[in-house]
Amino acid sequence: MVNLELFRVFYTVAKCGSLSKAAQELFVSQPAVSQSIKSLETQLDAVLFIRNYRGIQLSPEGCIIYKKVEDALALLDSAESDLLNRK
């Protein structure tokens, strides 16, 4: 199973549309973000982003998992909120 943190990095990059902007949001270096994306792509055996001179965009494979990852992260955030607010 893929480490959840790699999906968080993927989601942030897709949302920001930039590796460097995602790195700033995640408080990590841009090479760390690049390495995380490369690791996720290797584990999933899929190209998740199309890289070009203007930046990056989701590939067809990236689009397939983006919404699922977004939903999963929202569900986890909701569960955490429910636990924190139960008192």
Side-chain angles (χ1 to χ4, degrees), residues 7-62:
F7 284 117
R8 287 187 192 276
V9 172
F10 162 78
Y11 175 74
T12 305
V13 171
K15 186 178 68 161
C16 291
S18 162
L19 294 171
S20 57
K21 288 178 186 174
Q24 289 174 342
E25 188 169 315
L26 294 166
F27 301 103
V28 297
S29 69
Q30 187 272 329
V33 171
S34 293
Q35 187 59 39
S36 293
I37 295 300
K38 186 174 196 166
S39 177
L40 181 60
E41 288 179 325
T42 299
Q43 290 181 49
L44 295 176
D45 192 26
V47 175
L48 301 175
F49 292 98
I50 298 169
R51 295 145 175 96
N52 58 40
Y53 67 93
R54 290 183 287 168
I56 61 169
Q57 64 184 36
L58 284 170
S59 69
E61 294 85 357

Side-chain angles (χ1 to χ4, degrees), residues 48-85:
L48 301 175
F49 292 98
I50 298 169
R51 295 145 175 96
N52 58 40
Y53 67 93
R54 290 183 287 168
I56 61 169
Q57 64 184 36
L58 284 170
S59 69
E61 294 85 357
C63 288
I64 289 170
I65 67 166
Y66 176 78
K67 182 64 177 150
K68 299 274 187 189
V69 169
E70 182 179 47
D71 291 346
L73 292 176
L75 187 59
L76 290 169
D77 286 343
S78 174
E80 183 179 340
S81 291
D82 288 352
L83 284 174
L84 293 173
N85 294 325

